[in-house]
Amino acid sequence: MITMLVTYAGDEETPFDRDHWINVHFPLVRESWGRYGLVSAGGFFPQGDGAGLTAVGVVNFRDEAAMEAALNSPETAQVMADVDIVTAVKPQRSIVKPL
């Protein structure tokens, strides 16, 4: 399994539609990328000062090939367009590979 962390920079003043992100965006991610090898997708909101982060998405794929297939799929355009509904902050992706 390979994990993609999707982070959103900001603080408590940064506009971010939490309800949409959890209840609309993640179901869209699961529906869009499930056929490509998505294992799970969810997110959380850092507590305290958040270390400069508003939200963190955790997206797990079967393997790197599955992640690449999902990211390069036609459905990704809809997933990314939905991010624009959640926030104006552009997310940053990082990959966590198993040891």
Side-chain angles (χ1 to χ4, degrees):
M1 187 163 56
I2 189 167
T3 300
M4 180 174 65
L5 296 178
V6 183
T7 56
Y8 297 84
D11 58 26
E12 63 278 348
E13 301 299 319
T14 303
F16 195 95
D17 188 337
R18 290 178 170 210
D19 183 62
H20 184 97
W21 194 57
I22 294 297
N23 296 311
V24 177
H25 185 72
F26 280 112
L28 174 64
V29 168
R30 289 188 284 272
E31 179 183 329
S32 297
W33 292 345
R35 68 189 65 136
Y36 299 103
L38 177 74
V39 174
S40 63
F44 65 93
F45 306 102
Q47 298 298 310
D49 68 7
L53 295 176
T54 299
V56 178
V58 181
V59 187
N60 295 300
F61 293 94
R62 181 181 59 241
D63 53 30
E64 196 165 351
M67 180 185 68
E68 291 300 325
L71 291 174
N72 292 312
S73 72
E75 292 87 351
T76 295
Q78 185 179 5
V79 170
M80 296 311 296
D82 192 63
V83 169
D84 293 337
I85 295 170
V86 174
T87 183
V89 173
K90 296 302 174 201
Q92 299 296 310
R93 291 185 220 150
S94 57
I95 307 306
V96 180
K97 295 184 180 184
L99 297 176

